[in-house]
Amino acid sequence: MAAAGGGLGALGASEAVAAAQALSLPAEAYGNDPNIEMIWAMKAYQHAEVYFNLISSVDPKFLKLTKVDDQIYAEFRKSFGDLKIDVLDPEELKSEPAKAKWRPFCMQFDGVVEDFNYGTLLRLDCSKDYTEENTIFVTRIQFFAIETARNREGYNNAVYSRAMDTQSAAAETGGSA
């Protein structure tokens, strides 16, 4: 197995094929296999890295994350109208009362959003990058709901603006960002 720090790109061809085959089997086939957990963690990290690069290079208010963003956003704000999304409180996602509220929201997207219940990394403070302290593991539909809201409500503009400022400063000094 490739070193964990190398990410998915560090996998050789045979390791990538083995990982793809392993990920196609039902979860019940594995229990708590640490190799499978590492593959899922790398996949989640790769998704987070791609998303952060996306909001750093494209104005987030123009992003469409799924074909059903409008439905996700409407249902999210109907169910979680008061949820503070710029800096999330993990208790609002992980406590037993929160799970009881999130479960029906998530389940309505079964069959609507592909892999709606896959594990995905989400930034707690949307003005910051993905770090160990600023990341929580959520379902993909929770990620889509919160990030779509952050994009539409302007909270992810801080990341985009900071990236554009860095690019402008690098261009002025003749360097690269």
Side-chain angles (χ1 to χ4, degrees):
M1 182 64 93
L8 291 176
L11 293 177
S14 63
E15 292 168 319
V17 169
Q21 288 173 338
L23 293 176
S24 68
L25 294 173
E28 301 80 42
Y30 295 106
N32 289 329
D33 183 327
N35 292 328
I36 299 303
E37 289 178 6
M38 181 58 69
I39 292 169
W40 280 112
M42 287 189 303
K43 187 175 179 177
Y45 178 77
Q46 182 185 41
H47 175 266
E49 192 173 45
V50 167
Y51 180 70
F52 194 80
N53 289 339
L54 190 61
I55 62 171
S56 296
S57 56
V58 176
D59 188 337
K61 71 179 170 227
F62 297 117
L63 285 179
K64 192 154 177 63
L65 302 180
T66 73
K67 294 176 183 177
V68 292
D69 279 6
D70 292 340
Q71 178 186 355
I72 293 170
Y73 180 71
E75 292 298 327
F76 171 68
R77 278 308 185 199
K78 186 165 71 173
S79 297
F80 299 96
D82 295 333
L83 182 66
K84 185 174 177 254
I85 60 171
D86 57 339
V87 181
L88 293 166
D89 177 354
E91 288 297 307
E92 295 284 345
L93 299 165
K94 299 292 186 177
S95 69
E96 286 307 315
K99 287 180 183 179
K101 191 170 181 183
W102 276 103
R103 193 169 293 112
F105 171 82
C106 294
M107 292 309 296
Q108 70 183 314
F109 292 99
D110 186 4
V112 177
V113 174
E114 186 177 350
D115 302 330
F116 78 103
N117 62 348
Y118 274 31
T120 306
L121 299 174
L122 178 68
R123 293 167 300 134
L124 292 169
D125 181 340
C126 68
S127 69
K128 298 179 181 174
D129 201 336
Y130 284 93
T131 62
E132 188 174 340
E133 301 78 30
N134 193 42
T135 304
I136 191 167
F137 203 62
V138 297
T139 64
R140 183 167 289 170
I141 192 60
Q142 286 175 301
F143 170 87
F144 285 145
I146 292 168
E147 288 298 338
T148 298
R150 284 173 166 176
N151 291 341
R152 291 182 177 200
E153 296 172 19
Y155 292 109
N156 277 333
N157 289 352
V159 171
Y160 176 69
S161 295
R162 192 167 51 247
M164 292 301 100
D165 290 347
T166 301
Q167 275 186 355
S168 295
E172 289 174 12
T173 62
S176 61

